[in-house]
Amino acid sequence: MSPVLAVVVCGLVSAWFGPRVIGSEARIQAVAVWEVAGYVLNGALFVLVGMQLPSAVWALTSVSLLRATVAALAVSVAVLGTRLLWFYSMPCLVRLLDRRPQQRDRRITAPQRLPPAWAGMRGAISPAAALTVPATTAEGRVVEQRDAVVFLTAVVIVVTLTLLGPTLPTVVRRARFPADEDKSAELTLARCRLSSAALDALPELAERFGVPEEDTARMVQDIEDRTAPAPGSAHRRESVRSLRLALLQVKRDTLTALRDSGRIDDIVLRSVKEVLDGEEVRLGRP
């Protein structure tokens, strides 16, 4: 019955079944749209936080400004201290209770536990939760010190953003995290399995679509090169890709010259340029 939980469940279902039902073009568009939308929405939320700060100060009447400020700083210290205590105490408890070998592989050093503990910046969710406190009860009575709750929340947001945010990159660098070898191994596994499945299905698919044998052989060679590239093959592919990108730029210049000389109009220019842009996206920029 919760709208928030419904959205979370929708996201989980979409992430699980999306690769099976969503086409590549829709995925490319969705990624681009949601990157921009997420950036805009996140910025808008922080703008709302900034707009709420002056009203939180002006509306503070239940307690003095000095007392509220001291309380807000104490809450900020408590927020950071709680995260530090959690990240430096719970691993010890887990080690005592879980003695499995795979659990030992997940252990990290004390300096490496500091970044997740330090990354406790508060954002738009905190004021949203504070503003849900009603100004009056169902019986019509005024909720006491609601203004103090909003003020404390706003100060905690400012303190955590200004203190933790700028120093987080330094904390992460000093943690000296090792390279993620699991990711590299999983990428290699995925590429090998994909190539193996493609090579197994290639003869049947080539026969179904009537592809000549020489074209099929070239596709087999291309798949094998991508799976286990021979010495210099990566450099050769990069050279060919750079050549194709350079030729695309020559085509663009020629297309613009045709438009500038009046040989073609803007409608034709845009139509042809869409094809060139699609080819460039397919090749990919370095």
Side-chain angles (χ1 to χ4, degrees), residues 191-192 194-196 198-200 202 216-231 233 236-237:
R191 289 168 179 165
C192 291
L194 292 175
S195 299
S196 177
L199 290 174
D200 292 341
L202 184 58
T216 304
R218 282 197 297 268
M219 294 185 66
V220 170
Q221 185 63 41
D222 182 66
I223 294 174
E224 291 177 347
D225 288 343
R226 292 178 181 273
T227 306
S233 61
R236 185 165 59 252
R237 286 198 302 270

Tab-separated table of all heavy atoms in Angstrom, residues 191-192 194-196 198-200 202 216-231 233 236-237:
chain	number	residue	atom	x	y	z
A	191	ARG	N	32.721	-12.269	-21.545
A	191	ARG	CA	33.121	-12.200	-22.948
A	191	ARG	C	33.372	-13.594	-23.516
A	191	ARG	O	32.987	-13.896	-24.658
A	191	ARG	CB	34.370	-11.336	-23.077
A	191	ARG	CG	34.104	-9.853	-22.849
A	191	ARG	CD	35.387	-9.077	-22.687
A	191	ARG	NE	35.135	-7.653	-22.481
A	191	ARG	CZ	36.049	-6.798	-22.040
A	191	ARG	NH1	37.279	-7.226	-21.755
A	191	ARG	NH2	35.734	-5.528	-21.882
A	192	CYS	N	34.016	-14.453	-22.723
A	192	CYS	CA	34.290	-15.810	-23.217
A	192	CYS	C	33.004	-16.591	-23.421
A	192	CYS	O	32.834	-17.283	-24.442
A	192	CYS	CB	35.212	-16.532	-22.237
A	192	CYS	SG	36.897	-15.878	-22.172
A	194	LEU	N	29.954	-15.381	-23.925
A	194	LEU	CA	29.200	-14.816	-25.045
A	194	LEU	C	29.785	-15.253	-26.382
A	194	LEU	O	29.060	-15.609	-27.318
A	194	LEU	CB	29.190	-13.290	-24.943
A	194	LEU	CG	28.399	-12.677	-23.780
A	194	LEU	CD1	28.588	-11.176	-23.747
A	194	LEU	CD2	26.931	-13.028	-23.877
A	195	SER	N	31.115	-15.219	-26.476
A	195	SER	CA	31.755	-15.617	-27.731
A	195	SER	C	31.540	-17.096	-27.999
A	195	SER	O	31.291	-17.504	-29.143
A	195	SER	CB	33.254	-15.302	-27.668
A	195	SER	OG	33.475	-13.923	-27.483
A	196	SER	N	31.619	-17.921	-26.961
A	196	SER	CA	31.401	-19.355	-27.139
A	196	SER	C	29.980	-19.642	-27.607
A	196	SER	O	29.759	-20.448	-28.524
A	196	SER	CB	31.690	-20.081	-25.827
A	196	SER	OG	31.428	-21.466	-25.957
A	198	ALA	N	28.021	-17.561	-29.208
A	198	ALA	CA	27.867	-17.056	-30.572
A	198	ALA	C	28.489	-18.005	-31.585
A	198	ALA	O	27.916	-18.258	-32.657
A	198	ALA	CB	28.498	-15.667	-30.683
A	199	LEU	N	29.665	-18.560	-31.284
A	199	LEU	CA	30.315	-19.492	-32.203
A	199	LEU	C	29.510	-20.772	-32.353
A	199	LEU	O	29.448	-21.355	-33.448
A	199	LEU	CB	31.729	-19.812	-31.697
A	199	LEU	CG	32.754	-18.669	-31.790
A	199	LEU	CD1	34.058	-19.068	-31.118
A	199	LEU	CD2	33.001	-18.272	-33.240
A	200	ASP	N	28.884	-21.230	-31.272
A	200	ASP	CA	28.059	-22.443	-31.360
A	200	ASP	C	26.815	-22.230	-32.219
A	200	ASP	O	26.384	-23.136	-32.942
A	200	ASP	CB	27.650	-22.893	-29.955
A	200	ASP	CG	28.839	-23.391	-29.142
A	200	ASP	OD1	29.878	-23.725	-29.750
A	200	ASP	OD2	28.741	-23.405	-27.891
A	202	LEU	N	26.480	-19.871	-34.573
A	202	LEU	CA	26.760	-19.242	-35.863
A	202	LEU	C	26.474	-20.146	-37.057
A	202	LEU	O	25.842	-19.696	-38.028
A	202	LEU	CB	28.218	-18.754	-35.890
A	202	LEU	CG	28.642	-17.977	-37.133
A	202	LEU	CD1	27.763	-16.743	-37.334
A	202	LEU	CD2	30.105	-17.573	-37.019
A	216	THR	N	30.828	-16.027	-43.247
A	216	THR	CA	30.747	-16.687	-41.945
A	216	THR	C	32.131	-16.884	-41.348
A	216	THR	O	32.340	-16.707	-40.142
A	216	THR	CB	30.041	-18.038	-42.093
A	216	THR	OG1	28.756	-17.851	-42.692
A	216	THR	CG2	29.872	-18.722	-40.748
A	217	ALA	N	33.095	-17.229	-42.181
A	217	ALA	CA	34.467	-17.423	-41.697
A	217	ALA	C	35.040	-16.128	-41.152
A	217	ALA	O	35.760	-16.121	-40.144
A	217	ALA	CB	35.343	-17.973	-42.813
A	218	ARG	N	34.727	-15.008	-41.826
A	218	ARG	CA	35.213	-13.717	-41.322
A	218	ARG	C	34.580	-13.385	-39.979
A	218	ARG	O	35.241	-12.838	-39.083
A	218	ARG	CB	34.927	-12.616	-42.340
A	218	ARG	CG	35.899	-12.595	-43.508
A	218	ARG	CD	35.825	-11.265	-44.245
A	218	ARG	NE	34.515	-11.058	-44.831
A	218	ARG	CZ	34.198	-11.409	-46.071
A	218	ARG	NH1	35.102	-12.009	-46.855
A	218	ARG	NH2	32.995	-11.182	-46.557
A	219	MET	N	33.307	-13.718	-39.817
A	219	MET	CA	32.658	-13.458	-38.537
A	219	MET	C	33.253	-14.322	-37.430
A	219	MET	O	33.445	-13.874	-36.299
A	219	MET	CB	31.152	-13.714	-38.656
A	219	MET	CG	30.425	-12.753	-39.575
A	219	MET	SD	28.640	-13.015	-39.563
A	219	MET	CE	28.248	-12.546	-37.884
A	220	VAL	N	33.575	-15.575	-37.753
A	220	VAL	CA	34.216	-16.451	-36.767
A	220	VAL	C	35.559	-15.868	-36.350
A	220	VAL	O	35.898	-15.833	-35.161
A	220	VAL	CB	34.385	-17.870	-37.342
A	220	VAL	CG1	35.265	-18.722	-36.430
A	220	VAL	CG2	33.029	-18.528	-37.529
A	221	GLN	N	36.334	-15.408	-37.320
A	221	GLN	CA	37.639	-14.831	-37.004
A	221	GLN	C	37.496	-13.571	-36.148
A	221	GLN	O	38.273	-13.353	-35.209
A	221	GLN	CB	38.384	-14.503	-38.310
A	221	GLN	CG	39.810	-14.016	-38.107
A	221	GLN	CD	40.687	-15.077	-37.463
A	221	GLN	OE1	40.594	-16.246	-37.804
A	221	GLN	NE2	41.509	-14.664	-36.505
A	222	ASP	N	36.502	-12.769	-36.461
A	222	ASP	CA	36.289	-11.544	-35.687
A	222	ASP	C	35.904	-11.869	-34.244
A	222	ASP	O	36.402	-11.235	-33.305
A	222	ASP	CB	35.196	-10.700	-36.347
A	222	ASP	CG	34.968	-9.398	-35.610
A	222	ASP	OD1	35.879	-8.552	-35.602
A	222	ASP	OD2	33.884	-9.226	-35.022
A	223	ILE	N	35.039	-12.870	-34.057
A	223	ILE	CA	34.639	-13.254	-32.699
A	223	ILE	C	35.829	-13.801	-31.929
A	223	ILE	O	36.042	-13.480	-30.751
A	223	ILE	CB	33.491	-14.279	-32.746
A	223	ILE	CG1	32.231	-13.640	-33.325
A	223	ILE	CG2	33.207	-14.838	-31.360
A	223	ILE	CD1	31.100	-14.614	-33.541
A	224	GLU	N	36.639	-14.622	-32.565
A	224	GLU	CA	37.807	-15.183	-31.887
A	224	GLU	C	38.820	-14.098	-31.538
A	224	GLU	O	39.454	-14.144	-30.479
A	224	GLU	CB	38.449	-16.261	-32.765
A	224	GLU	CG	37.582	-17.504	-32.906
A	224	GLU	CD	38.203	-18.527	-33.836
A	224	GLU	OE1	39.163	-18.155	-34.547
A	224	GLU	OE2	37.722	-19.681	-33.860
A	225	ASP	N	38.989	-13.121	-32.409
A	225	ASP	CA	39.929	-12.028	-32.118
A	225	ASP	C	39.465	-11.210	-30.920
A	225	ASP	O	40.275	-10.765	-30.106
A	225	ASP	CB	40.079	-11.121	-33.345
A	225	ASP	CG	40.879	-11.797	-34.452
A	225	ASP	OD1	41.560	-12.790	-34.146
A	225	ASP	OD2	40.794	-11.336	-35.603
A	226	ARG	N	38.159	-11.009	-30.811
A	226	ARG	CA	37.640	-10.237	-29.676
A	226	ARG	C	37.750	-11.023	-28.374
A	226	ARG	O	37.921	-10.443	-27.305
A	226	ARG	CB	36.185	-9.842	-29.925
A	226	ARG	CG	36.011	-8.828	-31.039
A	226	ARG	CD	34.554	-8.516	-31.287
A	226	ARG	NE	34.388	-7.567	-32.374
A	226	ARG	CZ	34.417	-6.251	-32.238
A	226	ARG	NH1	34.606	-5.733	-31.040
A	226	ARG	NH2	34.278	-5.444	-33.278
A	227	THR	N	37.658	-12.366	-28.469
A	227	THR	CA	37.747	-13.180	-27.261
A	227	THR	C	39.180	-13.303	-26.766
A	227	THR	O	39.479	-13.089	-25.598
A	227	THR	CB	37.179	-14.583	-27.516
A	227	THR	OG1	35.865	-14.452	-28.047
A	227	THR	CG2	37.142	-15.391	-26.243
A	228	ALA	N	40.077	-13.636	-27.670
A	228	ALA	CA	41.491	-13.769	-27.325
A	228	ALA	C	42.301	-13.069	-28.388
A	228	ALA	O	42.795	-13.697	-29.327
A	228	ALA	CB	41.889	-15.244	-27.229
A	229	PRO	N	42.435	-11.750	-28.340
A	229	PRO	CA	43.091	-10.993	-29.393
A	229	PRO	C	44.549	-11.369	-29.548
A	229	PRO	O	45.261	-11.578	-28.560
A	229	PRO	CB	42.931	-9.541	-28.929
A	229	PRO	CG	42.728	-9.631	-27.462
A	229	PRO	CD	42.018	-10.908	-27.222
A	230	ALA	N	44.938	-11.482	-30.792
A	230	ALA	CA	46.345	-11.755	-31.075
A	230	ALA	C	47.167	-10.507	-30.835
A	230	ALA	O	46.640	-9.406	-30.753
A	230	ALA	CB	46.482	-12.223	-32.536
A	231	PRO	N	48.512	-10.685	-30.684
A	231	PRO	CA	49.357	-9.507	-30.456
A	231	PRO	C	49.198	-8.479	-31.565
A	231	PRO	O	49.298	-8.798	-32.748
A	231	PRO	CB	50.776	-10.108	-30.451
A	231	PRO	CG	50.582	-11.540	-30.061
A	231	PRO	CD	49.267	-11.937	-30.656
A	233	SER	N	46.456	-6.997	-32.408
A	233	SER	CA	45.110	-6.888	-32.982
A	233	SER	C	44.344	-5.719	-32.389
A	233	SER	O	43.571	-5.057	-33.076
A	233	SER	CB	44.344	-8.191	-32.760
A	233	SER	OG	44.206	-8.449	-31.369
A	236	ARG	N	45.503	-2.683	-34.064
A	236	ARG	CA	45.007	-2.631	-35.429
A	236	ARG	C	43.555	-2.180	-35.462
A	236	ARG	O	43.160	-1.359	-36.299
A	236	ARG	CB	45.165	-4.017	-36.074
A	236	ARG	CG	44.801	-4.059	-37.554
A	236	ARG	CD	45.325	-5.327	-38.218
A	236	ARG	NE	44.806	-6.527	-37.590
A	236	ARG	CZ	45.523	-7.350	-36.831
A	236	ARG	NH1	46.788	-7.089	-36.581
A	236	ARG	NH2	44.973	-8.434	-36.298
A	237	ARG	N	42.736	-2.710	-34.544
A	237	ARG	CA	41.338	-2.286	-34.506
A	237	ARG	C	41.218	-0.811	-34.144
A	237	ARG	O	40.367	-0.097	-34.692
A	237	ARG	CB	40.570	-3.144	-33.488
A	237	ARG	CG	40.297	-4.553	-33.946
A	237	ARG	CD	39.179	-5.172	-33.110
A	237	ARG	NE	39.518	-5.179	-31.708
A	237	ARG	CZ	40.149	-6.181	-31.091
A	237	ARG	NH1	40.522	-7.238	-31.775
A	237	ARG	NH2	40.398	-6.115	-29.798
